[in-house]
Amino acid sequence: MTNALSAKAGALPAGSRSLVDGFLGVLIFSASLPATRLALVGFDPLFLTAARAAVAGCVAGAALLLLNQRLPGRADLVPLAVVAAGVVVGFPLLTALALREVSAAHAVVFVGALPLATALFGALRSGERPPRAFWAPSALGGAVIAAFAAPGLGSLSGSGDGLMLAAILACGLGYAEGGLLARRLGGWQVIAWANVLALPLSLPLALAWMPEAPLARPASALAGLAYVSLFSMLIGFVFWYRALARGGIAAVSQLQLLQPFLGLGLAALVLGEAIEGRMLVAAAAVVACVAAARRFAAPGGSARSRLRRPWPEPRRPGPSRSRP
């Protein structure tokens, strides 16, 4: 299925291909919070975080071996560690802890800030410099999401707010760093190596925190664990990092403004929640913000941007010169 979707996307212009890949990635990620809620019915947040990373790491390692992928260079290890810390460990753990204390509507406010976080870290780390006009529709899209979610907030824990904010910052950094690294290693290779890099930590912790009779847990919890392990941790990033590498971090990241609404739609199908009319109105406004942001963000970053390696590469000695 992934190959078929990639083949169809390959027939499109470069800009459209990045949009298709980005939308597929966002669609897959949109089910992460509902799937995490299902998994938390039967599993502790700490075990869930370690287990999803361990499963993804084992599958990714097998794929890298079977496809005979080359090892990352020394200069790639630090960026891979940043990706692993942000999207393999940080975001899953922080959101799992936060979802025990805050509602899904409350979490939407913070997920809506993810495009801004990704674009900000993209500007800081990748050298992209979107024009000032780019930030206005981006901020407006986040404000629309906040206004949509605000009426249902109620009385909620402040610690959950801090956890969600930290999760968004960790995820934004991981997205931006991985998007830049994908230009050198390839989209799926970045997340595969990041999961493998975390495996020496995730696998022992998953075994240590494993509950008794894990397969006897509710089927919904097992399905949620399987989804976040394979789709949220691997398959979604195949499309997402490729889109960031092709279309530019700042421009493609604005597609994340659709993620809260896609997530609510999937939650309605999976959990039986009702879809409100104001959700459709807000989604239309967000689509307009995405279109406006992409108009101001040149593909691959601003024309004034400079592509640089995010971390210094070890200096190599030059050829020796002999005096005449």
Side-chain angles (χ1 to χ4, degrees):
M1 181 177 179
T2 302
N3 291 335
L5 291 172
S6 299
K8 291 181 179 180
L12 299 172
S16 299
R17 287 201 303 270
S18 66
L19 284 178
V20 171
D21 285 336
F23 178 77
L24 290 174
V26 168
L27 181 61
I28 292 172
F29 293 147
S30 296
S32 294
L33 288 182
T36 300
R37 279 199 171 275
L38 289 176
L40 288 173
V41 172
F43 298 108
D44 178 83
L46 293 177
F47 169 75
L48 175 60
T49 301
R52 63 189 283 181
V55 171
C58 292
V59 174
L64 290 168
L65 286 175
L66 290 175
L67 297 176
N68 196 26
Q69 296 296 302
R70 65 179 179 86
L71 292 172
R74 289 176 56 191
D76 299 327
L77 294 181
V78 173
L80 282 173
V82 173
V83 174
V87 302
V88 177
V89 179
F91 184 78
L93 175 60
L94 293 168
T95 53
L97 292 173
L99 284 173
R100 299 190 305 175
E101 304 180 19
V102 301
S103 68
H106 195 71
V108 163
V109 177
F110 296 91
V111 174
L114 187 54
L116 291 175
T118 305
L120 176 61
F121 282 117
L124 293 174
R125 301 300 304 136
S126 73
E128 292 185 3
R129 295 294 183 268
R132 294 180 181 178
F134 165 83
W135 298 103
S138 301
L140 180 59
V144 168
I145 293 175
F148 168 75
L153 296 184
S155 177
L156 297 160
S157 171
S159 62
D161 293 353
L163 289 168
M164 282 304 303
L165 178 59
I168 295 306
L169 292 176
C171 192
L173 176 59
Y175 279 174
E177 200 72 47
L180 178 64
L181 193 56
R183 298 171 183 174
R184 304 202 303 272
L185 297 183
W188 77 269
Q189 291 91 338
V190 169
I191 191 59
W193 284 118
N195 278 295
V196 169
L197 189 63
L199 198 55
L201 177 65
S202 62
L203 185 56
L205 290 179
L207 295 175
W209 292 333
M210 182 182 298
E212 295 183 3
L215 296 180
R217 302 287 164 155
S220 59
L222 293 173
L225 175 59
Y227 186 91
V228 296
S229 299
L230 298 177
F231 287 88
S232 301
M233 299 289 285
L234 278 176
I235 299 176
F237 283 100
V238 173
F239 297 105
W240 184 243
Y241 278 151
R242 184 167 61 191
L244 291 177
R246 288 176 173 174
I249 295 172
V252 174
S253 67
Q254 300 313 295
L255 291 172
Q256 293 168 311
L257 288 169
L258 301 174
Q259 184 169 331
F261 304 102
L262 293 173
L264 287 176
L266 292 172
L269 295 175
V270 176
L271 304 177
E273 297 181 0
I275 300 177
E276 303 177 5
R278 65 192 184 96
M279 171 186 170
L280 301 177
V281 174
V286 169
V287 170
C289 292
V290 172
R294 280 193 56 82
R295 179 180 179 182
F296 291 116
S302 168
R304 294 173 294 175
S305 69
R306 56 188 180 92
L307 177 60
R308 67 169 185 264
R309 292 184 183 272
W311 303 95
E313 187 174 2
R315 300 186 67 177
R316 299 176 181 176
S320 61
R321 296 182 178 179
S322 58
R323 294 183 178 180

